[in-house]
Amino acid sequence: MRGYLITNAFMRGGSFETMRRLFMEAAEKAGITLISKTNADFIGGVRCDADFALFYDKDIRLAMRLEQKGIRVFNSADAIAVCDDKTLTHLALDKAGLPQPEYVLCPHSFPGVGFGDMSFLREAGGILGWPMVIKEGCGSFGQQVYLATDEAQAKTLLQAIGEKPVVFQRFIRECAGRDERLFVVGGEVIAAITRENRQGDFRANVENGGHPQKYEPTREECDLAVSACRALGLDFGGVDILPSRQGPLLCEVNSNAHFGGLKQVTGVNPADHIISHIRRSL
Ligand SMILES: Nc1ncnc2c1ncn2[C@@H]1O[C@H](COP(=O)(O)OP(=O)(O)O)[C@@H](O)[C@H]1O
Ligand SMILES: [Mg+2]
């Protein structure tokens, strides 16, 4: 069995290199030939010389090309696309009837056109209350997630974000700085952590100062994480859950979750599980 590991050509080093290394080591242990490529290595075209591609990148167009050549891509191009944009994730999870924080989608505009007087922000605030979470559709590591205390701040934030897909979310106050990450592979939760930001930031991402701890998720949380991955068509994924007073809510789902921190505190290596899952699936 021979496959490509595809990572991004321009995001290198740090946690990205750790992910690449963990997958290469896991494949070697399993006796699978894994060839490390970047998304820039296919400029000359895609040859049909691999059984699969382990696609740890967001280059959805390249993932589609690989699929068009008959290569099985993990996760699939469609699944990566839906997870890459939180606005689309919300819609897909809603379709499956799964619980998530109440949200309002920002109306679409065009580059350079702006959002007029942004009066829709008042309406969104009326529905969701203040402060309100604002998320760019595409973003990672908490870097494109904001908390707006009032309408004026929301306007400033939206102006700075520009005309991209954006979602407004109810701020789950009791979860500020605290969430859970469940890692799902092949329809099973293989490991979980809680993350707590003790520096006063509402974002619990490890990359943002969140402190990871091993966690034993409840049956309800496991079922929710597995259902979310099924609804999004993911072979594997990192599911962020907010343990709200009304029960677990899906915060977001990652098709390419980095798991260095999770591996360290749980002793579980998702790379081994992902490689086994690929072998089983083929
Ligand atoms: N609605 C919300 N209420 C409270 N905290 C939130 C909410 N949405 C996100 N967060 C916090 O912000 C972090 C980052 O948000 P998330 O949607 O997971 O984006 P990213 O893709 O950047 O990880 C979450 O891990 C969580 O701690
Ligand atoms: Mg997240």
Side-chain angles (χ1 to χ4, degrees):
M1 218 159 75
R2 192 182 133 87
Y4 291 138
L5 168 65
I6 297 170
T7 53
N8 191 270
F10 314 110
M11 293 287 260
R12 309 303 298 176
S15 158
F16 286 87
E17 179 50 29
T18 305
M19 296 304 301
R20 203 191 65 81
R21 180 177 52 78
L22 289 174
F23 282 125
M24 294 306 287
E25 287 170 0
E28 197 181 343
K29 256 191 289 172
I32 290 174
T33 307
L34 194 59
I35 303 152
S36 179
K37 296 261 188 196
T38 76
N39 60 324
D41 290 337
F42 295 89
I43 291 294
V46 170
R47 272 188 300 148
C48 199
D49 56 357
D51 303 307
F52 70 91
L54 170 48
F55 207 90
Y56 238 64
D57 189 30
K58 307 264 176 100
D59 194 330
I60 295 151
R61 289 154 196 86
L62 175 60
M64 290 172 77
R65 289 201 83 173
L66 290 162
E67 285 176 351
Q68 283 172 6
K69 290 283 176 187
I71 298 172
R72 170 74 159 90
V73 179
F74 297 85
N75 282 302
S76 73
D78 280 353
I80 295 173
V82 174
C83 292
D84 184 39
D85 184 336
K86 292 176 172 71
T87 64
L88 300 179
T89 313
H90 268 304
L91 293 168
L93 295 176
D94 254 355
K95 195 172 169 192
L98 298 173
Q100 35 186 344
E102 201 179 346
Y103 69 94
V104 171
L105 296 178
C106 180
H108 172 76
S109 181
F110 296 90
V113 171
F115 291 103
D117 67 1
M118 301 195 197
S119 56
F120 55 84
L121 283 173
R122 183 165 310 159
E123 235 179 300
I127 297 165
L128 304 173
W130 300 101
M132 178 169 90
V133 175
I134 300 183
K135 297 185 187 183
E136 297 185 34
C138 302
S140 301
F141 310 127
Q143 283 166 9
Q144 288 79 18
V145 174
Y146 319 92
L147 194 61
T149 46
D150 54 26
E151 192 184 325
Q153 206 182 17
K155 272 188 181 171
T156 308
L157 277 166
L158 191 56
Q159 231 148 25
I161 293 169
E163 302 83 350
K164 299 175 189 164
V166 167
V167 58
F168 310 116
Q169 251 182 30
R170 182 183 293 284
F171 177 47
I172 310 300
R173 221 174 267 274
E174 65 272 26
C175 297
R178 228 162 34 82
D179 75 354
E180 296 162 5
R181 158 65 59 84
L182 275 62
F183 208 99
V184 175
V185 181
E188 255 180 80
V189 175
I190 57 148
I193 53 172
T194 54
R195 303 181 293 193
E196 192 183 345
N197 192 307
R198 296 164 181 169
Q199 292 151 26
D201 195 310
F202 79 103
R203 297 163 298 177
N205 304 67
V206 172
E207 298 79 5
N208 208 51
H211 178 76
Q213 257 181 319
K214 190 177 156 122
Y215 176 62
E216 204 56 62
T218 65
R219 185 77 258 156
E220 188 186 9
E221 288 165 346
C222 288
D223 288 347
L224 182 56
V226 168
S227 300
C229 288
R230 191 179 308 126
L232 301 170
L234 289 170
D235 287 281
F236 48 83
V239 182
D240 290 353
I241 290 181
L242 297 169
S244 84
R245 263 190 223 112
Q246 299 102 299
L249 300 174
L250 291 165
C251 176
E252 65 136 359
V253 184
N254 299 274
S255 57
N256 310 4
H258 285 202
F259 46 69
L262 175 134
K263 176 178 173 288
Q264 215 162 34
V265 297
T266 64
V268 176
N269 184 357
D272 292 331
H273 288 264
I274 289 170
I275 293 290
S276 302
H277 170 74
I278 291 175
R279 193 209 286 280
R280 270 198 308 274
S281 307
L282 293 171

